[in-house]
Amino acid sequence: MVNSEDGFPFMKWWRPIWQWPLCAALLLLFIWPSLYNGQPFFCADTTAYIRGADAGFSKLTRRATMWTGEKPAATRGQTAMEGPAAQQRKSLSSVEDKTVLAGRSIYYGALLYFGHITGRLWPAVLAQAAAVLFTIYLTLKSLGLFTWVRFSAISLGLATVTPMAFFVSTLMPDIFAAVTILAVANLLAHGDRMPGWTLAAWVALLTAALLFHTSHVLIALSLLAAAGSCLLLAGVPIPWKGAMGAVVALALAFVGEAAFSLGVTRLVGSPPLRPPFLMARMIADGPGYRYLVANCPASQLAICGFVDRLEAANSDEFLWSADPGRGVFAVAD
């Protein structure tokens, strides 16, 4: 059988030429919602990520930017006579007040901040699209199923019949939850048989995903625990090379979190404050509220002082509302 590339020598130089335009086209396909919209999609938390990165950048370079102010533009120049109305619009994360929230990754904020200073945030969504495209490529390679036709067909299907392109086009780290799942699955299933560069690529992708949101760390740990239990119960040898790759990524994520905590402590004089997301969710969904009604004030929990406003509060109101009659975290000392 004659190899097509041997029979047609021009294919040896033609092949890398058409691969690059194809990948570029797939990248654009992955961000089609933001292209149609005219810009990437913002969420309520997007600016919190950018402000976190900007606070560090401004401190190091002693340069102020449009993100540097502690208060939104709408509140500047307001007097103390406006009282509660002005306070409701003030950011809870404030270097001036020695309060930096830990729920928004400085590392994902750096990605958005870089995108902001280089091209109106387009580089950020392109980086997200590239990460997803590379994840698909590596998965097909690991499974031994890669062809350019199959790679293109799967990418086209994901971009057009699933919400993937909307997640990629949104300035939030949610899309990296999927990267986390695929990275851990590939490392555990194929890690011992991967070439060194493929293993390193998966570890790099997983490390970035873990640094971008704490929930991804919980996902990775849960997958490792579940897979380890199944392998032990089935008597299957644990793929140590792949498992160690996942452990290395987790260790790097913990080091990154520790570096952030140390940096904040030195910058503002106190460690970052992690909002009680799980408490807010448990109370809003019912079980937490019923427990507090049954056990306060005897339990002597600090939250008992706010039970009267919890029955109708959702998790967002619990965490962020500055209304003294509805908020909890934002109005507590």
Side-chain angles (χ1 to χ4, degrees):
M1 183 178 293
V2 178
N3 187 294
S4 60
E5 291 190 3
D6 293 334
F8 300 95
F10 71 90
M11 286 294 292
K12 293 182 179 180
W13 59 264
W14 169 249
R15 184 175 177 181
I17 290 178
W18 64 261
Q19 287 174 3
W20 289 109
L22 174 62
C23 290
L26 291 175
L27 281 178
L28 295 178
L29 181 64
F30 277 18
I31 63 169
W32 72 261
S34 56
L35 292 173
Y36 180 80
N37 186 54
Q39 67 174 18
F41 295 106
F42 280 70
C43 282
D45 293 335
T46 299
T47 56
Y49 283 103
I50 301 176
R51 286 183 185 278
D54 176 74
F57 176 82
S58 299
K59 187 73 174 181
L60 291 173
T61 62
R62 301 185 183 280
R63 288 182 54 193
T65 72
M66 63 179 291
W67 301 101
T68 305
E70 296 298 335
K71 298 180 181 180
T75 67
R76 292 174 191 154
Q78 292 175 340
T79 66
M81 293 178 64
E82 292 174 282
Q87 291 178 3
Q88 285 189 34
R89 291 188 291 268
K90 184 179 179 181
S91 173
L92 295 180
S93 188
S94 168
V95 175
E96 182 183 61
D97 296 333
K98 299 185 181 300
T99 303
V100 175
L101 300 185
R104 302 294 172 253
S105 167
I106 189 71
Y107 302 101
Y108 185 71
L111 173 65
L112 298 186
Y113 193 68
F114 175 78
H116 165 68
I117 63 178
T118 58
R120 295 179 59 192
L121 293 168
W122 285 107
V125 293
L126 286 171
Q128 294 185 165
V132 175
L133 194 66
F134 193 39
T135 299
I136 297 169
Y137 168 81
L138 290 176
T139 299
L140 290 174
K141 279 286 190 180
S142 297
L143 293 170
L145 298 175
F146 180 83
T147 66
W148 283 101
V149 172
R150 186 176 287 119
F151 174 61
S152 302
I154 290 174
S155 300
L156 177 63
L158 289 171
T160 55
V161 300
T162 77
M164 183 270 293
F166 288 90
F167 282 96
V168 169
S169 296
T170 302
L171 299 172
M172 290 288 287
D174 299 22
I175 189 63
F176 289 95
V179 174
T180 299
I181 294 170
L182 279 175
V184 173
N186 276 275
L187 287 169
L188 292 178
H190 309 288
D192 288 0
R193 301 188 298 274
M194 287 179 182
W197 75 268
T198 306
L199 180 65
W202 276 121
V203 171
L205 281 170
L206 180 57
T207 300
L210 299 178
L211 286 171
F212 287 170
H213 204 279
T214 308
S215 66
H216 301 164
V217 175
L218 299 178
I219 291 172
L221 288 172
S222 299
L223 289 173
L224 285 172
S229 300
C230 291
L231 291 175
L232 289 174
L233 290 174
V236 178
I238 295 176
W240 289 109
K241 186 178 177 181
M244 287 306 299
V247 170
V248 167
L250 283 163
L252 291 173
F254 282 114
V255 169
E257 185 70 14
F260 166 69
S261 180
L262 178 62
V264 169
T265 302
R266 291 189 173 183
L267 177 66
V268 304
S270 60
L273 180 65
R274 188 171 299 278
F277 293 111
L278 295 180
M279 180 191 292
R281 189 71 268 158
M282 291 176 65
I283 291 173
D285 288 344
Y289 174 71
R290 290 193 294 271
Y291 173 85
L292 294 174
V293 170
N295 292 276
C296 286
S299 63
Q300 297 184 343
L301 296 172
I303 190 64
C304 287
F306 302 92
V307 171
D308 60 327
R309 67 189 71 174
L310 296 179
E311 183 176 10
N314 58 43
S315 59
D316 282 340
E317 289 178 325
F318 178 97
L319 291 168
W320 312 123
S321 176
D323 182 348
R326 301 188 68 84
V328 176
F329 176 69
V331 299
D333 64 35

